[in-house]
Amino acid sequence: MRSYSPDLTPPWKRPKPVPEVPAEPDLVVEEVSTGFCGAVIRCEKTAEGPTVTLEDRFGKHRVFPLVERGFMLEGQVVTLVRPTAGGPARPARTASGSVAVPGARARVARAGRIYVEGRHDAELVERVWGDDLRIEGVVVEYLEGIDDLPAIVAEFGPAADARLGVLVDHLVPGSKESRLAEQVTGDDVLIVGHPYIDVWQAVKPSSVGIPAWPTIPRGQDWKTGVCRELGWPENTGAAWQRILSTVRSYRDLEPALLGRVEELIDFVTEPGVD
């Protein structure tokens, strides 16, 4: 007869049980030992045991074993398990990858704002981050260009309780945009940008169904040149709607834009800022 050996570990030293969560596709988790954060792509059964593949916001994939207490979900340690048919539904996600809050009302608008250069920028931000922005009470406005950026910021009057974030196109060293951004300083204003000539380029070519964004010679209107090179009608408004219709989530955008928009949202919604 097998002898019984009782567990003599004191109760206060025993690890507390943690929730088991099905590793459903698109569930966003963080692996505890590496800090790698990403969305579940798939689960597989291997010779070494079950694994899960995560994809981060930059499109990088990593495979991790499904071990006990191996992941963080919404700040809580959990054990991921392989999903089963007919199991409980996973939390819905917004287009930005955040957990959706069913029935949540939009928060009263904050005094702080996020400014973007043009209408296309604003429509793209709304497409991916709109649900998050409404819950946080963040209003996004477009400027129709930033030639008067220092005056625009001064008129807004950023303050500790009314922060201003600005997203700038083509913010690269030596550009007109970078020179304008350098003229704006202050603890309550944050100017960030992406390297693309226009926000169109922040949409992944694969999502649009093209091999790459064309290179347009200097001196030509960039958007019109893109339409011409792609064989589209030279109607930039219609072309943008065609591009925008291919954007379903953050996965369709380049990391250089994703990181900057999230940085601005974090800046204007920092705890203690209202």
Side-chain angles (χ1 to χ4, degrees):
M1 179 181 295
R2 181 183 300 175
S3 61
Y4 172 71
S5 299
D7 184 357
L8 300 179
T9 304
W12 60 87
K13 289 189 176 181
R14 297 174 189 170
K16 294 181 180 179
V18 299
E20 290 190 348
V21 178
E24 299 280 0
D26 292 334
L27 181 71
V28 178
V29 295
E30 178 183 336
E31 202 276 330
V32 295
S33 63
T34 63
F36 185 89
C37 184
V40 172
I41 300 298
R42 59 182 172 272
C43 287
E44 295 177 298
K45 187 177 181 180
T46 71
E48 290 76 25
T51 64
V52 61
T53 301
L54 303 182
E55 179 186 63
D56 70 6
R57 69 185 187 186
F58 304 106
K60 182 180 179 180
H61 288 194
R62 289 191 63 175
V63 180
F64 299 99
L66 288 177
V67 297
E68 186 177 0
R69 307 173 65 90
F71 298 87
M72 298 278 289
L73 174 64
E74 303 296 328
Q76 181 181 14
V77 177
V78 299
T79 297
L80 286 189
V81 297
R82 295 181 69 191
T84 57
R90 61 181 173 81
R93 299 279 157 178
T94 68
S96 71
S98 301
V99 174
V101 184
R105 295 183 177 181
R107 173 175 170 160
V108 175
R110 295 172 182 266
R113 292 288 187 271
I114 292 177
Y115 286 170
V116 297
E117 282 203 46
R119 177 174 294 176
H120 294 179
D121 306 68
E123 290 176 343
L124 188 59
V125 170
E126 165 62 26
R127 173 64 63 94
V128 176
W129 289 275
D131 290 338
D132 309 71
L133 292 167
R134 279 182 284 278
I135 289 176
E136 295 289 351
V138 177
V139 175
V140 174
E141 300 179 11
Y142 67 90
L143 302 175
E144 294 290 8
I146 62 163
D147 287 348
D148 297 321
L149 183 60
I152 290 170
V153 173
E155 181 179 0
F156 179 86
D161 59 349
R163 284 185 162 183
L164 177 63
V166 184
L167 179 68
V168 177
D169 297 343
H170 199 227
L171 191 63
V172 297
S175 67
K176 174 193 74 175
E177 291 81 2
S178 66
R179 291 192 293 271
L180 287 168
E182 289 168 358
Q183 297 176 38
V184 179
T185 59
D187 293 337
D188 300 311
V189 59
L190 175 65
I191 298 178
V192 300
H194 57 73
Y196 309 114
I197 295 173
D198 189 272
V199 76
W200 288 20
Q201 286 184 300
V203 181
K204 291 180 178 178
S206 58
S207 296
V208 182
I210 59 177
W213 288 105
T215 299
I216 307 303
R218 285 180 175 273
Q220 293 187 27
D221 178 74
W222 188 85
K223 293 178 181 177
T224 302
V226 166
C227 293
R228 186 179 302 122
E229 290 294 323
L230 294 177
W232 296 352
E234 294 182 19
N235 180 330
T236 58
W240 169 242
Q241 291 306 314
R242 176 175 182 168
I243 295 165
L244 185 62
S245 69
T246 69
V247 178
R248 296 173 178 81
S249 76
Y250 71 97
R251 297 174 185 274
D252 296 306
L253 302 183
E254 297 287 0
L257 176 68
L258 290 174
R260 302 294 74 74
V261 174
E262 291 173 4
E263 187 177 355
L264 290 176
I265 295 174
D266 288 345
F267 179 75
V268 299
T269 60
E270 183 178 329
V273 177
D274 200 337

